Amino acid sequence: MTLEGNQQSNERLFMKHIEKSGIGYERPLETSVCNFVCDATNCDIIELLPTSPHQVGRYANHIEEVIDKALETMHLNEVSTISFQFNGEDTSVKLELNNFETLPPTYEWSQEYMLETSLELKEYAKVLFQKSNYKYAVAHYQRSIHWLVMSEDEKAKMNEKPVLYLNIAACMIKGEKYEKAIKCCNVALESNPNQLKGLFRRGQCYLKLNDFENAATDLKAALSLEPANISVKKELSFLQKRIDEENSKSAKAMAKYFQM
């Protein structure tokens, strides 16, 4: 083992030991399709490994993320041992990169290709969300935003950016990360303060945080945009119930105080 054969990558996500050096200078980039062989001795991770061919930048669990990021560091025909943590224990796989789609550097990507990549990531994130995989749905929505911004397509940014932030907010709500969800809703509402979905989701978060005043403001604004919306009406009804409960608690506490 030589020092040059060891590389620590992606903020300690994995360690790479090169067993056989690859050829050429090019490496897979995001969206590159790779053909590879991955051998694992840990039976617990075999079912979690990505399958070949694999498109770089698409992963749905920690193991897939490790292999995905490792592939981005490899050269053609390289064989490396990838070491990482899984469930608090050290584990490793042997990874061989057989071939991959060669792409121009990302700074040479066309506006159209960046936008296409953004939309594909959005759709992949949507699938992850539907499978309740909120952590990795957020990661791919964030990458979608990255390429959307990089595309410098102002019309697309105006249409897609609020949607992507609201999708992240939905993931955060599912994970009970209400403060982060509110921040995402704030970004989405910057371009259109009268966006029903943004007001509704932010109102939901304020309600979960017992911020009844802001919850009422947002939910009433949402209802004014769509008076027949059943979901908004239900949330307002629940808000009123919570307010009544808190008022009842306060009244009982005051009554108890004066009886002392």
Side-chain angles (χ1 to χ4, degrees):
M1 184 194 304
T2 63
L3 183 62
E4 290 78 9
N6 289 282
Q7 296 178 11
Q8 190 166 338
S9 308
N10 286 278
E11 298 181 354
R12 300 175 184 259
L13 184 64
F14 62 88
M15 291 281 292
K16 184 176 82 165
H17 171 62
I18 299 174
E19 307 284 352
K20 173 189 170 186
S21 296
I23 59 176
Y25 296 97
E26 293 181 323
R27 294 185 174 99
L29 299 174
E30 187 167 357
T31 78
S32 292
V33 176
C34 302
N35 286 284
F36 63 92
V37 176
C38 187
D39 293 324
T41 55
N42 185 342
C43 296
D44 293 335
I45 72 170
I46 291 176
E47 292 184 357
L48 299 174
L49 291 170
T51 56
S52 180
H54 168 78
Q55 186 175 25
V56 174
R58 312 290 189 271
Y59 43 87
N61 60 56
H62 177 64
I63 306 298
E64 288 186 6
E65 182 181 10
V66 168
I67 303 304
D68 182 90
K69 300 303 183 186
L71 286 169
E72 287 190 85
T73 72
M74 298 178 71
H75 296 95
L76 182 63
N77 293 336
E78 179 183 321
V79 179
S80 288
T81 297
I82 310 301
S83 304
F84 54 95
Q85 286 272 309
F86 177 69
N87 289 342
E89 297 182 1
D90 293 331
T91 191
S92 65
V93 299
K94 181 169 284 189
L95 192 60
E96 179 178 355
L97 179 58
N98 294 326
N99 59 67
F100 61 91
E101 180 185 12
T102 303
L103 294 173
T106 53
Y107 60 80
E108 292 182 5
W109 284 10
S110 67
Q111 182 185 66
E112 292 76 14
Y113 192 74
M114 289 182 183
L115 184 57
E116 179 185 335
T117 299
S118 173
L119 295 175
E120 287 177 357
L121 285 163
K122 176 187 174 185
E123 288 305 308
Y124 186 77
K126 180 180 177 181
V127 171
L128 294 177
F129 179 85
Q130 291 169 342
K131 293 180 178 180
S132 301
N133 190 342
Y134 307 122
K135 174 183 176 180
Y136 285 100
V138 168
H140 287 82
Y141 279 132
Q142 289 172 334
R143 291 304 295 167
S144 179
I145 291 170
H146 168 78
W147 288 117
L148 177 66
V149 172
M150 291 295 291
S151 76
E152 297 183 345
D153 186 321
E154 295 305 320
K155 183 178 179 181
K157 280 197 285 186
M158 184 174 65
N159 292 332
E160 291 292 329
K161 190 176 177 182
V163 174
L164 290 166
Y165 273 101
L166 286 177
N167 289 346
I168 294 176
C171 295
M172 294 299 179
I173 290 171
K174 290 291 187 179
E176 299 183 358
K177 298 175 181 178
Y178 303 117
E179 292 89 351
K180 290 183 178 180
I182 288 171
K183 290 180 180 179
C184 290
C185 290
N186 289 342
V187 175
L189 288 163
E190 283 176 1
S191 58
N192 181 10
N194 294 319
Q195 189 177 71
L196 174 66
K197 197 173 287 187
L199 291 166
F200 176 64
R201 287 184 182 165
R202 192 170 67 181
Q204 283 182 304
C205 294
Y206 281 133
L207 179 51
K208 289 291 187 180
L209 295 171
N210 293 328
D211 186 344
F212 300 143
E213 183 177 352
N214 279 319
T217 299
D218 279 348
L219 293 172
K220 287 177 181 178
L223 189 65
S224 69
L225 295 171
E226 195 173 303
N229 190 297
I230 295 174
S231 297
V232 177
K233 285 183 177 180
K234 284 183 178 179
E235 208 68 16
L236 275 167
S237 177
F238 183 65
L239 170 61
Q240 189 58 55
K241 181 181 177 182
R242 291 285 292 112
I243 291 172
D244 292 342
E245 288 173 352
E246 291 301 315
N247 288 339
S248 177
K249 286 180 183 178
S250 297
K252 287 179 181 178
M254 289 297 292
K256 194 172 184 179
Y257 174 79
F258 284 110
Q259 289 173 359
M260 292 176 65

